[in-house]
Amino acid sequence: MLQSQEKIPMGTQDQTSQELVRKIQNRAARLGVIGLGYVGLTLAAEMAKEGFEVTGIDIDRKKVDSVNSGISYVLDVPSETLLPLVTQKRIKATQSLAAIENLDAVSICVPTPLRKTKEPDLSYVIAAAEAVSSHLQPGQLIVVESTTYPGTTRELVLPILEKPGRQVGSDFFLAFSPERVDPGNFTHTTRTIPKIIGGVTPQCGKLAGLLYQQFVEKIVPVSSPECAEMAKLLENTFRNVNIALANEMAIMCRTFGVDVWEVIEAAKTKPFGFMPFYPGPGLGGHCIPVDPYYLTWKARLNGCEPRFIELAAQINSQMPLFTISRVADALNERQRSFKGSKILGLGVAYKRDTSDTRESPALEVLYGLHQKGAAVCYSDPHVPTIRLNGEKTKSLPLDPDMLQSMDCVVLLTDHSAFNYQMIAAHSQVIVDCRNAFKGFPRSNIVSL
Ligand code: SAJ
């Protein structure tokens, strides 16, 4: 049971709110999560661990069946945690949107990707809002968690829910609370990461805060959903532009003949006013490269021109090409060209110790090397197969002979599982995009 932090004062409560407050406080509230990805399933598990009965709703039959079998497909929710919650009937999953009618609160955790035009794709949020609207019951609390531009909750979701003459703040309650899951981060979890909550009305915010404080250690109430939406975009845009700065430093250090990693380690010794970010082969994942475009798209609609954020995106997106140029330098030193060279990519996931390859810059580097005529292969202990220029390609096991047969090895994602000693000992030359070979003899290491 969570230690009760300062309770959210509920103020004057109408009958509907009082009923919901009572159900939340005695764990009788039936909770729902729409979208059982790495955010939704993790959230459902935290709710269930606190004693709530949770219904997960997803369009993907495989996810629904896997959850109902107690088999997890999300790194942060081990099956050993999920199975007992399912057998105790604390969690169940369904594809049926009608299940919403039997719930007291619903959290929407669906993807917010980009279209090919780099514009926001809110089709999943709209579909979820429409599903909720067609099954909405009096007094239900709806919380949107999907990362999106400021105004989405009030301008897009609210009208869908109010459509048939319902009134927010009395007939139903609506808030925005950004997900902040960092996949694979077992230090900061859904339970321990402070949760920002902005209600469309004060009562909406209080009810959402009361619900979430049952299974999240710290609630951060803000005055509006727009503030909550903007805070999340600030967090991730901050990360994006600082990574771009690290990448630009890498490009500049190359021209000065200075090791950018040594520069960053030195700068890190400043005990205040500095926060280290690191260069890499580019920006991957479905958040950091994506979220700033939600902000810039909305800003332009409001007449702002976010040049700084746009420039950061340009710098980050040129890093795969910069990485390829470093491979060219490494081959050139050995009188080799791309054509006729065998190149091994180490790590294709978008970041360390994950199997997720969405927006992975490593794939862009491998595609680019292939286009230049190199014979390209890869090894990633977390990613068994990828499509490389339309061909299904398998991850290769690493061994000394295989490494020695490669003209160049490119370390793209620094998984913990790699045997760095063996790789360094048996590779002709390594282009190290992640400073993974820090401290190794430099004779066959080429840094980004
Ligand atoms: N990266 C760099 N240099 C860095 C840090 C990251 O090149 O110094 C790259 C990574 O290799 C990766 C990409 O940026 O390709 C994104 O990295 P990430 O660590 O931000 O990973 P995400 O996107 O899975 O998780 C982030 C969260 N990460 C952290 O706060 C550490 C957080 O920003 C959000 O909670 C989450 O996205 C989200 O869902 O919004």
mmCIF file of all heavy atoms in Angstrom, residues 238-256:
data_model
loop_
_atom_site.group_PDB
_atom_site.id
_atom_site.type_symbol
_atom_site.label_atom_id
_atom_site.label_comp_id
_atom_site.label_asym_id
_atom_site.label_seq_id
_atom_site.Cartn_x
_atom_site.Cartn_y
_atom_site.Cartn_z
ATOM 1 N N PHE A 238 14.011 18.832 -25.035
ATOM 2 C CA PHE A 238 15.267 19.147 -24.322
ATOM 3 C C PHE A 238 16.318 18.070 -24.626
ATOM 4 O O PHE A 238 17.468 18.362 -24.952
ATOM 5 C CB PHE A 238 14.984 19.206 -22.825
ATOM 6 C CG PHE A 238 16.212 19.163 -21.951
ATOM 7 C CD1 PHE A 238 16.968 20.311 -21.723
ATOM 8 C CD2 PHE A 238 16.636 17.972 -21.376
ATOM 9 C CE1 PHE A 238 18.101 20.267 -20.929
ATOM 10 C CE2 PHE A 238 17.782 17.919 -20.585
ATOM 11 C CZ PHE A 238 18.515 19.083 -20.354
ATOM 12 N N ARG A 239 15.857 16.832 -24.573
ATOM 13 C CA ARG A 239 16.776 15.709 -24.799
ATOM 14 C C ARG A 239 17.247 15.716 -26.256
ATOM 15 O O ARG A 239 18.425 15.573 -26.560
ATOM 16 C CB ARG A 239 16.021 14.418 -24.471
ATOM 17 C CG ARG A 239 16.874 13.318 -24.022
ATOM 18 C CD ARG A 239 16.064 12.226 -23.357
ATOM 19 N NE ARG A 239 16.843 11.026 -23.398
ATOM 20 C CZ ARG A 239 17.947 10.829 -22.676
ATOM 21 N NH1 ARG A 239 18.359 11.743 -21.840
ATOM 22 N NH2 ARG A 239 18.637 9.724 -22.797
ATOM 23 N N ASN A 240 16.310 15.925 -27.157
ATOM 24 C CA ASN A 240 16.599 15.891 -28.590
ATOM 25 C C ASN A 240 17.644 16.943 -28.960
ATOM 26 O O ASN A 240 18.649 16.652 -29.618
ATOM 27 C CB ASN A 240 15.289 16.141 -29.363
ATOM 28 C CG ASN A 240 15.470 16.094 -30.859
ATOM 29 O OD1 ASN A 240 16.205 16.918 -31.410
ATOM 30 N ND2 ASN A 240 14.828 15.139 -31.506
ATOM 31 N N VAL A 241 17.433 18.198 -28.512
ATOM 32 C CA VAL A 241 18.339 19.277 -28.937
ATOM 33 C C VAL A 241 19.706 19.140 -28.276
ATOM 34 O O VAL A 241 20.736 19.494 -28.867
ATOM 35 C CB VAL A 241 17.739 20.677 -28.693
ATOM 36 C CG1 VAL A 241 16.433 20.867 -29.453
ATOM 37 C CG2 VAL A 241 17.530 20.966 -27.211
ATOM 38 N N ASN A 242 19.735 18.582 -27.069
ATOM 39 C CA ASN A 242 21.048 18.390 -26.419
ATOM 40 C C ASN A 242 21.831 17.236 -27.046
ATOM 41 O O ASN A 242 23.058 17.281 -27.112
ATOM 42 C CB ASN A 242 20.853 18.181 -24.918
ATOM 43 C CG ASN A 242 20.685 19.510 -24.192
ATOM 44 O OD1 ASN A 242 21.651 20.248 -24.023
ATOM 45 N ND2 ASN A 242 19.458 19.837 -23.843
ATOM 46 N N ILE A 243 21.125 16.254 -27.501
ATOM 47 C CA ILE A 243 21.818 15.172 -28.228
ATOM 48 C C ILE A 243 22.352 15.734 -29.548
ATOM 49 O O ILE A 243 23.471 15.439 -29.971
ATOM 50 C CB ILE A 243 20.865 13.986 -28.467
ATOM 51 C CG1 ILE A 243 20.510 13.315 -27.129
ATOM 52 C CG2 ILE A 243 21.489 12.978 -29.428
ATOM 53 C CD1 ILE A 243 19.358 12.337 -27.218
ATOM 54 N N ALA A 244 21.569 16.611 -30.164
ATOM 55 C CA ALA A 244 22.030 17.252 -31.412
ATOM 56 C C ALA A 244 23.308 18.054 -31.155
ATOM 57 O O ALA A 244 24.251 18.032 -31.945
ATOM 58 C CB ALA A 244 20.943 18.163 -31.974
ATOM 59 N N LEU A 245 23.362 18.732 -30.007
ATOM 60 C CA LEU A 245 24.575 19.496 -29.668
ATOM 61 C C LEU A 245 25.763 18.543 -29.522
ATOM 62 O O LEU A 245 26.857 18.800 -30.059
ATOM 63 C CB LEU A 245 24.367 20.265 -28.364
ATOM 64 C CG LEU A 245 25.602 21.014 -27.825
ATOM 65 C CD1 LEU A 245 26.070 22.082 -28.809
ATOM 66 C CD2 LEU A 245 25.304 21.618 -26.455
ATOM 67 N N ALA A 246 25.538 17.417 -28.858
ATOM 68 C CA ALA A 246 26.628 16.427 -28.700
ATOM 69 C C ALA A 246 27.066 15.915 -30.062
ATOM 70 O O ALA A 246 28.266 15.750 -30.329
ATOM 71 C CB ALA A 246 26.156 15.269 -27.821
ATOM 72 N N ASN A 247 26.106 15.693 -30.950
ATOM 73 C CA ASN A 247 26.452 15.221 -32.299
ATOM 74 C C ASN A 247 27.237 16.278 -33.071
ATOM 75 O O ASN A 247 28.233 15.968 -33.741
ATOM 76 C CB ASN A 247 25.177 14.832 -33.063
ATOM 77 C CG ASN A 247 24.617 13.489 -32.598
ATOM 78 O OD1 ASN A 247 25.367 12.599 -32.214
ATOM 79 N ND2 ASN A 247 23.299 13.347 -32.621
ATOM 80 N N GLU A 248 26.832 17.534 -32.943
ATOM 81 C CA GLU A 248 27.566 18.600 -33.642
ATOM 82 C C GLU A 248 28.970 18.755 -33.059
ATOM 83 O O GLU A 248 29.944 18.980 -33.791
ATOM 84 C CB GLU A 248 26.808 19.927 -33.552
ATOM 85 C CG GLU A 248 27.414 20.995 -34.454
ATOM 86 C CD GLU A 248 26.479 22.162 -34.699
ATOM 87 O OE1 GLU A 248 26.079 22.817 -33.713
ATOM 88 O OE2 GLU A 248 26.142 22.400 -35.876
ATOM 89 N N MET A 249 29.091 18.531 -31.743
ATOM 90 C CA MET A 249 30.427 18.584 -31.119
ATOM 91 C C MET A 249 31.311 17.474 -31.701
ATOM 92 O O MET A 249 32.492 17.669 -31.974
ATOM 93 C CB MET A 249 30.300 18.420 -29.596
ATOM 94 C CG MET A 249 29.677 19.589 -28.884
ATOM 95 S SD MET A 249 30.644 21.101 -29.081
ATOM 96 C CE MET A 249 31.852 20.861 -27.784
ATOM 97 N N ALA A 250 30.706 16.310 -31.923
ATOM 98 C CA ALA A 250 31.474 15.183 -32.486
ATOM 99 C C ALA A 250 32.014 15.548 -33.871
ATOM 100 O O ALA A 250 33.195 15.301 -34.189
ATOM 101 C CB ALA A 250 30.589 13.938 -32.576
ATOM 102 N N ILE A 251 31.157 16.169 -34.662
ATOM 103 C CA ILE A 251 31.572 16.556 -36.027
ATOM 104 C C ILE A 251 32.698 17.593 -35.951
ATOM 105 O O ILE A 251 33.717 17.487 -36.650
ATOM 106 C CB ILE A 251 30.349 17.100 -36.810
ATOM 107 C CG1 ILE A 251 29.323 15.976 -37.018
ATOM 108 C CG2 ILE A 251 30.772 17.715 -38.143
ATOM 109 C CD1 ILE A 251 27.963 16.461 -37.512
ATOM 110 N N MET A 252 32.564 18.545 -35.028
ATOM 111 C CA MET A 252 33.604 19.586 -34.904
ATOM 112 C C MET A 252 34.892 18.995 -34.345
ATOM 113 O O MET A 252 35.987 19.263 -34.843
ATOM 114 C CB MET A 252 33.100 20.710 -33.990
ATOM 115 C CG MET A 252 32.029 21.573 -34.619
ATOM 116 S SD MET A 252 31.667 23.035 -33.638
ATOM 117 C CE MET A 252 30.635 22.335 -32.359
ATOM 118 N N CYS A 253 34.768 18.136 -33.323
ATOM 119 C CA CYS A 253 35.987 17.535 -32.734
ATOM 120 C C CYS A 253 36.752 16.742 -33.786
ATOM 121 O O CYS A 253 37.988 16.728 -33.790
ATOM 122 C CB CYS A 253 35.608 16.622 -31.560
ATOM 123 S SG CYS A 253 35.193 17.527 -30.067
ATOM 124 N N ARG A 254 36.042 16.124 -34.694
ATOM 125 C CA ARG A 254 36.724 15.358 -35.761
ATOM 126 C C ARG A 254 37.645 16.292 -36.545
ATOM 127 O O ARG A 254 38.777 15.956 -36.855
ATOM 128 C CB ARG A 254 35.647 14.724 -36.661
ATOM 129 C CG ARG A 254 36.111 13.879 -37.820
ATOM 130 C CD ARG A 254 36.946 12.709 -37.467
ATOM 131 N NE ARG A 254 36.505 11.998 -36.303
ATOM 132 C CZ ARG A 254 37.333 11.458 -35.419
ATOM 133 N NH1 ARG A 254 38.634 11.579 -35.570
ATOM 134 N NH2 ARG A 254 36.890 10.800 -34.388
ATOM 135 N N THR A 255 37.155 17.510 -36.814
ATOM 136 C CA THR A 255 37.989 18.436 -37.626
ATOM 137 C C THR A 255 39.161 18.962 -36.793
ATOM 138 O O THR A 255 40.193 19.338 -37.328
ATOM 139 C CB THR A 255 37.151 19.654 -38.101
ATOM 140 O OG1 THR A 255 36.746 20.399 -36.940
ATOM 141 C CG2 THR A 255 35.923 19.215 -38.866
ATOM 142 N N PHE A 256 39.011 18.994 -35.465
ATOM 143 C CA PHE A 256 40.111 19.477 -34.616
ATOM 144 C C PHE A 256 41.053 18.342 -34.248
ATOM 145 O O PHE A 256 42.049 18.563 -33.555
ATOM 146 C CB PHE A 256 39.560 20.098 -33.312
ATOM 147 C CG PHE A 256 38.599 21.246 -33.490
ATOM 148 C CD1 PHE A 256 37.583 21.468 -32.574
ATOM 149 C CD2 PHE A 256 38.698 22.099 -34.591
ATOM 150 C CE1 PHE A 256 36.681 22.517 -32.739
ATOM 151 C CE2 PHE A 256 37.811 23.148 -34.759
ATOM 152 C CZ PHE A 256 36.804 23.361 -33.837
#
